[in-house]
């Protein structure tokens, strides 16, 4: 079951107008809160956004790759307190991955939107822009956002034939 899940998961950027049911939102909440954390520090916090006006503002966080969020019924903003953990990026990345996998399990489509190291404009970072839109404290980082909704596009599952097994070595680098 896990293997069909990881094969079928694709980035979904087009969503039906349909609302996401409360029980599914609650499962997405569980998924992020159950995600593992180095030294059990749990530095991440998550903002679930279903307000259309806010989603439109968030969709403008960077010039490319975030516009589709305007038409998502849900955006999940993944933030972390870097003073709680020196490996907050890893923790936040795992939580974001859990969202993608949980969404697939729930029959929803999702797509990661990179925010860390991205720019809203020449002088303003995407995370600074998002902090302002959502009143996030200055000492919190924004790693990513995830657009979530019922899929309005279909994509081929990952193909076994495309797997690059030459990237996997045994015992020593370069040894097959
Ligand atoms: C770290 C990371 C950042 C990503 N950032 C974006 C993004 O900003 N916008 C976007 O549309 N897709 C983004 N994606 C989705 C990738 O484009 C996508 O995973 C890749 O093209 C492979 O397609 P698949 O997810 O359907 O297998 C990101 C994925 C990862 C893992």
């Amino acid at each position: 079951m896990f293997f069909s899940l990881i094969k079928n998961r694709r980035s979904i950027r087009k969503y039906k107008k349909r609302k996401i049911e409360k029980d599914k939102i609650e499962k997405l909440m569980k998924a992020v809160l159950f995600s593992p954390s180095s030294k059990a520090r749990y530095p991440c916090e998550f903002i679930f956004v279903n307000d259309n006006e806010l989603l439109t503002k968030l969709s403008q966080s960077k010039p490319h790759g975030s516009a589709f969020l305007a038409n998502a019924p849900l955006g999940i903003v993944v933030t972390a307190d870097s003073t709680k953990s020196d490996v907050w990026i890893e923790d936040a990345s795992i939580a974001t991955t859990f969202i993608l996998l949980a969404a697939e399990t729930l029959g929803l489509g999702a797509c990661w939107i990179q925010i860390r190291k991205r720019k809203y404009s020449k002088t303003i970072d995407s995370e600074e822009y998002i902090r302002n839109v959502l009143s996030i404290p200055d000492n919190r980082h924004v790693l990513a956002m995830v657009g979530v909704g019922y899929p309005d596009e279909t994509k081929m599952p990952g193909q076994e034939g495309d797997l690059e097994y030459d990237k996997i070595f045994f015992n020593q680098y370069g040894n097959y």
Side-chain angles (χ1 to χ4, degrees):
M1 204 165 123
F2 176 71
F3 287 95
S4 60
L5 171 74
I6 58 173
K7 272 170 90 167
N8 288 329
R9 184 221 56 81
R10 296 293 313 277
S11 291
I12 298 298
R13 300 180 180 86
K14 291 186 184 138
Y15 312 102
K16 296 205 164 106
K17 286 266 172 276
R18 183 173 163 191
K19 243 182 97 175
I20 302 173
E21 297 82 351
K22 197 165 165 255
D23 67 305
K24 293 198 176 183
I25 305 266
E26 281 169 6
K27 286 187 171 125
L28 290 168
M29 289 162 62
K30 276 189 196 173
V32 290
L33 296 176
F34 271 129
S35 74
S37 170
S38 173
K39 299 183 181 172
R41 294 268 169 85
Y42 299 102
C44 297
E45 292 172 312
F46 308 90
I47 305 168
F48 282 55
V49 180
N50 61 7
D51 178 283
N52 285 331
E53 221 170 284
L54 289 174
L55 286 165
T56 299
K57 285 186 183 161
L58 292 175
S59 76
Q60 295 156 5
S61 297
K62 55 182 189 171
H64 305 287
S66 58
F68 67 89
L69 191 62
N71 298 313
L74 176 68
I76 303 175
V77 180
V78 180
T79 78
D81 182 346
S82 58
T83 65
K84 280 196 179 160
S85 171
D86 58 346
V87 292
W88 66 269
I89 296 172
E90 287 82 348
D91 278 15
S93 299
I94 290 176
T96 309
T97 306
F98 269 38
I99 298 171
L100 301 181
L101 295 176
E104 179 66 31
T105 308
L106 295 168
L108 300 166
C111 183
W112 184 313
I113 300 168
Q114 183 66 23
I115 295 304
R116 194 181 73 87
K117 292 203 173 270
R118 296 292 176 261
K119 286 200 139 345
Y120 168 73
S121 66
K122 275 208 170 101
T123 52
I124 302 171
D125 289 341
S126 298
E127 69 170 346
E128 190 183 336
Y129 171 79
I130 293 171
R131 268 193 214 111
N132 281 329
V133 173
L134 301 178
S135 314
I136 299 170
D138 284 347
N139 59 4
R140 298 297 199 279
H141 291 281
V142 181
L143 178 100
M145 305 188 288
V146 183
V148 188
Y150 281 95
D152 201 19
E153 61 177 332
T154 45
K155 288 194 171 177
M156 283 242 295
Q159 301 297 300
E160 300 266 352
D162 292 340
L163 296 178
E164 297 175 282
Y165 282 105
D166 59 349
K167 290 185 173 168
I168 298 176
F169 309 121
F170 289 90
N171 296 318
Q172 295 277 309
Y173 185 89
N175 190 49
Y176 293 111

